[in-house]
Amino acid sequence: MKSICGTLRTKEFSILQQLHLEERLLRASSDNWCIINNGTNQPNIVMGISGKPEELVEVELVLQDQVPVIRRFTGGGTVIVDDRTIFVTFICNKNAIPGLQPFPRPIMSWTGQFYKNVFEGYGDFQLCENDYAFGLRKFGGNAQSITKNRWIHHTSFLWDYDVRNMQYLKIPKRAPEYRLARNHTEFLCRMKDYLTSRSIFIERTISSLEDYFSIKSTQLDCVINTNEASQLQTTRLLTKQELE
């Protein structure tokens, strides 16, 4: 018998609020969740929990243009997101998917198979190290956190991106091998060059989810209202002083 998974679909939901919600659901809920947010309301840079701004972003430019920088509660790399980014998050109990070991590599492999089904017929989908790529060009970045009884895996998908926004990001010192020292525009690709609409991707994601779960659609208001009481959030905006 399949586990139940609550599905939450939003549009242009603030990425800071989304990360706060995800952290609450990971720590204070015992339900399985899939959250799909079609774009966020303004450009933000999002760093992993141990990220150092001076190594990952062009601090002077970020401060000059007043781009918000968020440090999230999960690991992973640094991304700039906006209304052209699609976010998909899985928050699951460790026993939600039969046979899946609750460790980073098995979870990553499971998501690779999950999205291979989503993108079947739409390009040469690959799980390259910890990224999703068409061929050897990245379009999806991932981050995870695993607690005693639960795990979260969330992805920012580049439906499209503004080349100018990439100037805020440095090439990280610990880049994946398959990057081969390529700059951002040579390394990345756009999902819109492979799929005709965002809705096709979202509907195929929901369809793939049904292979593993009995899904239950939920409204954002219900989730926010029932999860206000929460433990301390570690996701936060960095201050100007912290960036400097």
Side-chain angles (χ1 to χ4, degrees):
M1 186 175 173
K2 295 176 184 174
S3 298
I4 295 170
C5 182
T7 59
L8 184 61
R9 293 169 65 166
T10 62
K11 187 171 184 181
E12 296 189 359
F13 186 40
S14 152
I15 187 57
L16 181 61
Q17 288 181 272
Q18 180 180 338
L19 288 163
H20 283 160
L21 175 62
E22 291 177 0
E23 192 167 2
R24 291 202 300 272
L25 291 175
L26 178 68
R27 304 190 196 289
S29 169
S30 58
D31 298 325
N32 303 305
W33 295 95
C34 175
I35 300 169
I36 302 175
N37 181 18
N38 188 358
T40 190
N41 55 358
Q42 69 175 84
N44 285 263
I45 292 169
V46 186
M47 297 181 2
I49 193 167
S50 58
K52 297 177 181 175
E54 67 276 12
E55 294 179 2
L56 298 167
V57 302
E58 298 291 353
V59 173
E60 196 173 320
L61 195 57
V62 165
L63 290 170
Q64 174 191 301
D65 293 350
Q66 299 183 319
V67 182
V69 179
I70 298 167
R71 178 175 278 138
R72 65 176 179 265
F73 67 100
T74 55
T78 303
V79 292
I80 184 160
V81 299
D82 59 16
D83 60 345
R84 289 161 285 204
T85 313
I86 304 174
F87 307 91
V88 182
T89 300
F90 303 110
I91 304 171
C92 295
N93 293 318
K94 287 190 173 178
N95 62 356
I97 300 164
L100 177 60
Q101 294 295 308
F103 300 106
R105 180 47 51 190
I107 293 169
M108 190 67 72
S109 297
W110 175 79
T111 68
Q113 186 56 55
F114 180 96
Y115 286 114
K116 188 174 183 180
N117 295 339
V118 171
F119 293 110
E120 188 174 1
Y122 288 94
D124 180 21
F125 174 80
Q126 307 280 339
L127 173 60
C128 290
E129 298 178 49
N130 295 323
D131 299 334
Y132 303 141
F134 286 126
L136 291 176
R137 298 188 71 179
K138 175 180 175 177
F139 68 93
N142 299 293
Q144 297 178 346
S145 182
I146 300 171
T147 65
K148 182 181 177 185
N149 296 310
R150 289 164 69 71
W151 55 265
I152 180 170
H153 176 100
H154 47 194
T155 307
S156 53
F157 288 98
L158 295 175
W159 175 257
D160 192 6
Y161 68 90
D162 185 340
V163 172
R164 291 171 298 181
N165 283 346
M166 295 303 155
Q167 67 186 332
Y168 298 118
L169 306 181
K170 291 182 176 178
I171 294 179
K173 291 176 182 175
R174 293 179 58 203
E177 284 185 24
Y178 85 98
R179 182 164 187 153
L180 302 172
R182 289 176 288 173
N183 65 30
H184 293 304
T185 52
E186 291 173 334
F187 177 52
L188 301 172
C189 68
R190 297 170 167 87
M191 284 172 65
K192 72 170 191 175
D193 293 336
Y194 296 84
L195 285 84
T196 52
S197 72
R198 298 184 191 217
S199 59
I200 287 176
F201 167 66
I202 292 169
E203 294 306 325
R204 287 181 69 91
T205 299
I206 294 292
S207 178
S208 188
L209 193 67
E210 290 175 324
D211 292 339
Y212 300 94
F213 294 98
S214 296
I215 63 174
K216 177 183 167 187
S217 182
T218 309
Q219 297 301 311
L220 180 62
D221 291 349
C222 301
V223 180
I224 288 177
N225 291 340
T226 56
N227 282 279
E228 285 303 336
S230 64
Q231 299 175 11
L232 187 66
Q233 292 164 353
T234 54
T235 298
R236 62 187 181 84
L237 275 172
L238 296 186
T239 64
K240 182 181 177 184
Q241 288 72 27
E242 287 173 305
L243 290 171
E244 288 173 333

